Amino acid sequence: MKKSKSYFSIEDLFFVVSGKTSNLQDLSKGTTPFISSTEKNNGIAAYVDDEPTFEGNQITISRNGSVCEVFYQPLPFCASLDDIRILTPKNFVLDSYTALYLCTIIKKEKYRYTYGRKFGTTRIKKTKIELPVDISRKPDWIYIKKYMQDILSKNNTLESVINGTFNTLPSNKNKFILNKSEWKIFRYGGENGIFIIKNGYYNKKPDNIESGEIPFIGATEYNNGITDYFSEFEIENNNKDERGQYHELYEKIFKGNCVTVSNNGSVGYAFYQERDFTCSHDVNVLYLKEREWNKYIAMFICTLIQMEQYRWAYGRKWRPNRMPDSEIKLPVDKNGNPDFKFMENYIKTLPYSASI
């Protein structure tokens, strides 16, 4: 199950107005961003001496040139009269997180405007986008903001995401070579397996009636497996069948610092869960037997788990009764045990690992 969604036209959500500045003639340096039809640098073509004609905290769309490039403008700016349209919220308060979500959704319409088609004002207004909704069928801005906050990297500030200045550096500049001759096959579970495999809870996904903090992990390939957030009250009081009412809350919530693997639907997608969560029975929960997970080891092993997806196509499910007999090949130390330290250090040498 997914979060309920509905379609809204852009003019349902925003006032749409044209830019007010003619295309640049004078490229002298100033301090006011000038937004034009470029796909780079957050739409900023130059900095000009003109006074800003628009307040910040708005969204810009290019209607010409690099059509349907959509950017959030946090600062006051000027914009091209011919090429840019500005979106100003009607009945909600725009914030940085919500704006990034909306920019991503609107930009999905870009494919419609190749081959010289312009994204004119009327077309922009009539364009429909799909958004999560609350119980009143209005856009669920609280959910959207929380969704964006959750997926942003801890080490990438919101400003770095807006400006495209991600930390691309590795955590560890030393080089580690993947010598596959020093790898060994291990069973997933059982007496000699490396994982403790737990069944997901046979859970009924609650109706979202209040703002919650606990992630619900489902059989999806997106958003780290998270399909919604719920409160303890909602989880405790929603059951798949009558047996569920006798189950304590702790039986429905799993401790974080583990890996979840979907066993149905999008089979074989593996994600590291840092926080406590609840989930459906379409998810297997993996803890390590000999040590605790960390995010680096999890990224190494999740990649290998997902390489097994081809085995579970055509309706085959990777249920917990099958998983213990599955095998995974891992690097080993001098004693023939999984070399978790090597796995961690290897991930730390990869680009962007400083942003994990």
Side-chain angles (χ1 to χ4, degrees), residues 13-15 33 35 42 52-60 71-78 86-90 92-100 102-103 145 158 162:
L13 306 172
F14 296 97
F15 298 104
I35 312 302
N42 211 58
T53 52
F54 294 95
E55 296 180 358
N57 196 35
Q58 299 193 74
I59 291 173
T60 57
F71 297 107
Y72 171 61
Q73 306 300 337
L75 302 175
F77 61 95
C78 294
I86 296 89
L87 306 188
T88 304
K90 283 185 175 179
F92 68 100
V93 177
L94 190 67
D95 60 69
S96 303
Y97 296 100
T98 305
L100 287 175
L102 290 166
C103 287
K145 182 175 182 178
L158 181 60
I162 293 169

Side-chain angles (χ1 to χ4, degrees), residues 91-133:
N91 299 311
F92 68 100
V93 177
L94 190 67
D95 60 69
S96 303
Y97 296 100
T98 305
L100 287 175
Y101 186 99
L102 290 166
C103 287
T104 303
I105 297 299
I106 295 170
K107 193 172 179 178
K108 290 172 69 175
E109 300 299 308
K110 184 177 179 68
Y111 75 97
R112 301 181 188 275
Y113 298 99
T114 53
Y115 309 109
R117 293 187 72 210
K118 295 184 179 182
F119 199 19
T121 304
T122 300
R123 285 176 173 165
I124 291 173
K125 290 180 177 180
K126 300 302 180 186
T127 295
K128 291 184 178 293
I129 57 175
E130 191 178 26
L131 298 176
V133 294

Side-chain angles (χ1 to χ4, degrees), residues 147-274:
Y147 175 92
M148 291 304 298
Q149 288 174 328
D150 192 71
I151 65 174
L152 287 174
S153 168
K154 292 179 179 178
N155 294 318
N156 280 315
T157 64
L158 181 60
E159 288 73 22
S160 74
V161 175
I162 293 169
N163 297 322
T165 56
F166 293 97
N167 185 352
T168 64
L169 297 175
S171 296
N172 186 338
K173 294 184 179 180
N174 295 328
K175 298 296 182 182
F176 288 80
I177 298 174
L178 285 175
N179 185 348
K180 293 186 179 179
S181 65
E182 299 175 357
W183 291 37
K184 176 181 168 183
I185 292 175
F186 296 89
R187 282 170 50 91
Y188 272 60
E191 184 177 349
N192 298 316
I194 63 168
F195 300 125
I196 299 170
I197 303 171
K198 293 183 176 290
N199 295 21
Y201 182 70
Y202 191 64
N203 210 5
K204 178 184 178 183
K205 187 175 178 181
D207 295 325
N208 199 311
I209 58 174
E210 62 183 36
S211 178
E213 299 290 338
I214 301 172
F216 185 100
I217 311 300
T220 177
E221 61 191 90
Y222 302 109
N223 193 29
N224 212 62
I226 299 170
T227 60
D228 218 326
Y229 291 85
F230 297 101
S231 67
E232 287 189 358
F233 175 83
E234 289 171 314
I235 295 169
E236 189 171 23
N237 290 280
N238 283 269
N239 309 298
K240 192 79 173 182
D241 57 33
E242 65 278 1
R243 292 174 298 167
Q245 62 186 309
Y246 302 110
H247 295 163
E248 299 291 339
L249 181 63
Y250 74 85
E251 297 179 82
K252 302 180 181 184
I253 295 180
F254 294 82
K255 287 293 183 183
N257 197 24
C258 66
V259 164
T260 55
V261 183
S262 52
N263 63 56
N264 191 19
S266 297
V267 183
Y269 280 91
F271 300 107
Y272 174 62
Q273 306 299 338
E274 189 171 29

Side-chain angles (χ1 to χ4, degrees), residues 58-74:
Q58 299 193 74
I59 291 173
T60 57
I61 300 180
S62 54
R63 62 170 291 275
N64 197 15
S66 297
V67 183
C68 201
E69 291 295 334
V70 190
F71 297 107
Y72 171 61
Q73 306 300 337

